[in-house]
Amino acid sequence: MSDAITRWLVEHTNLPVLTIPPIGWSEVLDISLVAIVLYVISRWVRRTHAWVLLRGIIALAVLAIIAQLFNLYAFMWLVQHVMMVLPIIIVILFQPELRKALEQLGRGRYLASFKNESEQRSHTGLDTIVEIVNAVRIMSIAQTGALLVLEQEVDLSEYEREGITLDAQVSAQLLLNIFEKNTPLHDGAVIIRGSRVAAASCILPLTVEHVDSELGTRHRAAIGMSEASDARVVIVSEETGTISVAMAGEITRNVDETQLRDMLLWGAPKKQKFTLFRRKPK
């Protein structure tokens, strides 16, 4: 019956006839290896800055399709030349992450590292947030400068390696001791992963965007860290004692305890959507 249908399709239509090839152990192994590689790459993309780049590539591909449909030759020429140098750009931008991935692969524990990191990368709980807020409140009163980075989905191991590894339970007393003036660890940032202080005295990237002249190096580093990742960064000003929070490249200043707790738990509040026509208040 199926052979008759196939012959009729070949004789009366121009549609290609799809046949299912025989599947053996080699094909199953081949598909499994491809699935594992795609899974590892997707996990790596989600844990690094590559996720932002991937969204940019997708947007560029959509624009290229639109340009192809409307015969925008100049834009297509630009896209083709960008795609030619894109692999080199990726290697330059993600050299630390690629080196770490290859090192783990060479040691034969790349998949094990995913398991360990997923266990460690639990979201910061309420008890931990309370400890952080208490420490920040005390440091704000004493005008003790501080910089705390709460890791989210994007891996911050490259910045952690630049500091001093601690791997200690988060507590207000520990954070107060770290940022005590004239102590070895007070200079730099603390990276918090889940309920653990992963490292202290970490160096963060400074933002290249223009900021208020009143903001110092800590604030510029906090904004730069929030631009490079999805981390939530808390700053205590040494000059004024004011508390600020940086997220997604934006900084919120003069935050009180309640606002700080809510922002660390839920993220930045959603902005009011812009509407073209607004009804005037009566």
Side-chain angles (χ1 to χ4, degrees):
M1 181 68 179
S2 59
D3 294 338
I5 295 176
T6 302
R7 286 196 301 270
W8 185 88
L9 290 174
V10 172
E11 295 174 357
H12 297 85
T13 67
N14 294 325
L15 296 175
V17 179
L18 301 178
T19 59
I20 301 177
I23 299 177
W25 287 107
S26 60
E27 287 78 11
V28 173
L29 179 61
D30 189 15
I31 296 173
S32 300
L33 289 176
V34 172
I36 292 173
V37 170
L38 292 178
Y39 171 75
V40 170
I41 293 175
S42 64
R43 288 291 302 272
W44 177 80
V45 168
R46 291 296 300 272
R47 294 185 303 111
T48 63
H49 318 311
W51 179 242
V52 180
L53 179 62
L54 180 61
R55 288 188 296 181
I57 294 175
I58 294 174
L60 190 63
V62 172
L63 291 176
I65 294 174
I66 295 175
Q68 184 71 30
L69 293 175
F70 291 95
N71 298 323
L72 306 179
Y73 298 109
F75 187 79
M76 285 300 301
W77 174 87
L78 179 62
V79 170
Q80 291 174 359
H81 284 73
V82 169
M83 290 299 182
M84 290 175 58
V85 299
L86 188 60
I88 301 176
I89 296 175
I90 293 175
V91 172
I92 294 175
L93 291 178
F94 302 104
Q95 185 267 339
E97 288 88 350
L98 291 173
R99 182 180 62 186
K100 178 185 176 182
L102 292 176
E103 288 176 353
Q104 292 179 345
L105 186 62
R107 293 169 184 166
R109 54 186 192 182
Y110 193 80
L111 295 179
S113 67
F114 274 131
K115 181 180 179 181
N116 294 334
E117 290 180 359
S118 63
E119 292 175 353
Q120 295 176 358
R121 201 175 306 283
S122 58
H123 291 290
T124 307
L126 178 59
D127 294 338
T128 303
I129 296 296
V130 170
E131 293 290 332
I132 294 173
V133 172
N134 289 336
V136 170
R137 175 179 55 83
I138 297 174
M139 289 186 288
S140 174
I141 296 173
Q143 294 188 7
T144 301
L147 187 57
L148 300 91
V149 181
L150 279 69
E151 184 183 76
Q152 301 300 310
E153 297 296 332
V154 176
D155 184 24
L156 303 180
S157 296
E158 64 173 296
Y159 306 103
E160 179 184 344
R161 288 193 295 266
E162 300 295 331
I164 298 175
T165 302
L166 294 181
D167 191 22
Q169 182 72 26
V170 173
S171 66
Q173 292 79 7
L174 175 61
L175 296 175
L176 291 173
N177 289 334
I178 290 175
F179 289 108
E180 182 65 29
K181 297 177 182 178
N182 301 322
T183 57
L185 299 180
H186 86 284
D187 191 17
V190 162
I191 294 180
I192 297 175
R193 178 177 296 122
S195 61
R196 312 287 293 180
V197 177
S201 192
C202 300
I203 306 300
L204 306 183
L206 300 179
T207 181
V208 296
E209 299 294 332
H210 175 73
V211 296
D212 195 332
S213 58
E214 297 179 0
L215 301 180
T217 304
R218 281 193 182 90
H219 295 81
R220 292 180 59 86
I223 298 173
M225 185 77 262
S226 67
E227 291 172 342
S229 69
D230 60 347
R232 299 169 184 176
V233 190
V234 181
I235 316 101
V236 180
S237 173
E238 187 173 357
E239 290 75 17
T240 63
T242 56
I243 304 170
S244 305
V245 179
M247 296 183 192
E250 297 184 0
I251 187 168
T252 304
R253 303 169 64 182
N254 299 320
V255 175
D256 59 28
E257 294 180 43
T258 303
Q259 292 173 328
L260 175 61
R261 183 195 61 205
D262 293 342
M263 294 179 73
L264 295 184
L265 280 173
W266 313 112
K270 293 182 179 180
K271 296 182 179 180
Q272 185 178 5
K273 294 183 179 180
F274 174 79
T275 56
L276 184 59
F277 300 101
R278 294 185 178 179
R279 190 175 295 176
K280 294 183 179 180
K282 296 181 180 179

